[in-house]
Amino acid sequence: MKNALVVIDVQNNFAVEKAADLPEKILQHIKSNKYDYVIFTKFLNLPSSNFHKILGYKKVTGPPATNIHPILVGLTNKNNTFEKVTYSAFKDPEFVDFLNKHMIKELFLCGINIDGCVLATAYEAFDLGYKVKIIEELSSVASFRDDYEDSAKVIIARNLKRKPPK
């Protein structure tokens, strides 16, 4: 079974304050672990997105905010980096095609925000039959409230870490 580390939305706009050390931690993790593939997503907030239309969120619309953090950008290329305009990486058909083409069935997720994009991607991966693990120590809520991160970890433990019945 092939696997991939999916680094979610570790971009200039998000890797600040609470998540400022996250890019370096992820880089060291990549250097010291073996994955068949390392994949990156980046959030792009288009005017047509629900973030604009429904939430009124008008940030992260283009570079430099949307750029992958400089510490990690050297690991990215046009084949392993996927833009998304919503929470889950699975809404990008090119992301799904990449997983299918490379027969990836196990996903390790990390990045920003554990309570939003990381969790949404994990749920969808689970629903689609992937073996999925969120690497919590490599995930953050960026500059948002700590209790969101704590709540996300409780939700992850409850819904994605259960042991199969014997």
Side-chain angles (χ1 to χ4, degrees):
M1 172 172 25
K2 291 188 180 177
N3 67 43
L5 174 69
V6 183
V7 180
I8 299 172
D9 303 351
V10 182
Q11 299 166 233
N12 288 337
N13 189 76
F14 302 130
V16 296
E17 296 178 33
K18 182 172 175 15
D21 63 343
L22 194 59
E24 181 62 33
K25 286 180 181 177
I26 292 171
L27 178 62
Q28 293 311 313
H29 178 82
I30 292 168
K31 287 180 176 181
S32 62
N33 289 275
K34 174 88 172 107
Y35 293 99
D36 296 314
Y37 299 93
V38 177
I39 303 168
F40 295 84
T41 70
K42 63 183 203 172
F43 173 70
L44 180 59
N45 191 17
L46 300 176
S48 61
S49 80
N50 287 337
F51 292 92
H52 259 268
K53 295 185 304 187
I54 297 171
L55 300 179
Y57 182 67
K58 310 272 190 233
K59 297 180 181 180
V60 196
T61 57
T66 57
N67 293 346
I68 300 292
H69 192 277
I71 288 175
L72 296 171
V73 76
L75 302 174
T76 67
N77 60 59
K78 66 178 180 145
N79 297 317
N80 75 343
T81 306
F82 302 92
E83 290 182 351
K84 61 187 190 58
V85 296
T86 192
Y87 289 111
S88 173
F90 283 92
K91 300 302 182 205
D92 179 356
E94 292 179 11
F95 176 81
V96 175
D97 288 347
F98 183 93
L99 298 179
N100 291 335
K101 176 182 175 186
H102 296 286
M103 298 181 289
I104 298 167
K105 295 295 180 192
E106 183 175 23
L107 300 175
F108 296 86
L109 308 179
C110 67
I112 302 170
N113 278 318
I114 193 170
D115 62 318
C117 297
V118 175
L119 189 55
T121 300
Y123 276 145
E124 197 153 356
F126 175 83
D127 286 347
L128 293 170
Y130 289 89
K131 183 175 180 185
V132 61
K133 179 183 187 310
I134 296 174
I135 306 173
E136 294 176 27
E137 62 274 14
L138 298 178
S139 300
S140 178
V141 292
S143 60
F144 303 111
R145 295 174 24 187
D146 284 340
D147 57 333
Y148 290 176
E149 185 169 331
D150 294 340
S151 297
K153 289 178 179 180
V154 169
I155 292 167
I156 290 163
R158 160 95 172 57
N159 295 311
L160 296 172
K161 289 186 176 178
R162 292 184 179 181
K163 302 262 189 252
K166 293 181 180 184

